[in-house]
Amino acid sequence: MSEVTEFLTLTCTIRRKTIAISSTSGTNSYTWANASTSVPCSVQVDSRYQAQRAMRENGAIDYRVYFEPGTDVAVGDRLTSVTDGTGTAVFSGQHFEVFSPANGDVYNGEYSKVMAHLRAGGGTQ
């Protein structure tokens, strides 16, 4: 195990949106389903100046979320049910919205990282 993945002390559920066309109205219908559960991760607040500015302007806090290399996580996914090693909810009733593609340490494949918003005031899963 790498030094980075040793710090993946949380787990989360990755939820993905599917789009279907309603047979009655002909409009898009969206549903969320679990793509993966109990995924090891680490959630770190993004302390860059740009992130702080976005938090003030948009009411969203940016986080860097780290995963094991090759974890299937994509832009538009929601990260929910974030818990610690004892099963205690860390962000109870809230979800992260992934807004950047997964990238990692291109030199040695130590981790995958995405950027995600946590909306101020919470939100449902």
Side-chain angles (χ1 to χ4, degrees):
M1 183 178 285
S2 75
E3 289 181 26
V4 173
T5 56
E6 288 177 12
F7 293 103
L8 303 179
T9 58
L10 303 175
T11 61
C12 70
T13 296
I14 299 171
R15 295 180 57 82
R16 192 158 290 151
K17 179 171 43 176
T18 57
I19 303 171
I21 301 203
S22 170
S23 60
T24 55
S25 66
T27 60
N28 287 344
S29 172
Y30 303 97
T31 55
W32 290 91
N34 292 349
S36 299
T37 59
S38 300
V39 179
C41 65
S42 177
V43 179
Q44 307 293 324
V45 69
D46 188 3
S47 60
R48 297 174 300 151
Y49 170 77
Q50 296 89 341
Q52 293 172 2
R53 183 175 175 195
M55 180 178 69
R56 288 190 303 271
E57 293 177 359
N58 304 324
I61 303 169
D62 291 348
Y63 285 83
R64 294 181 305 268
V65 185
Y66 296 90
F67 299 97
E68 292 176 337
T71 299
D72 181 21
V73 60
V75 172
D77 286 352
R78 287 183 176 172
L79 308 176
T80 66
S81 306
V82 180
T83 58
D84 65 14
T86 66
T88 303
V90 179
F91 295 92
S92 182
Q94 299 175 317
H95 67 266
F96 294 89
E97 299 171 17
V98 176
F99 69 87
S100 77
N103 60 10
D105 184 334
V106 296
Y107 299 106
N108 60 16
E110 292 286 327
Y111 59 85
S112 290
K113 176 185 79 173
V114 298
M115 298 297 295
H117 292 305
L118 180 66
R119 297 281 173 202
T124 60
Q125 298 182 20

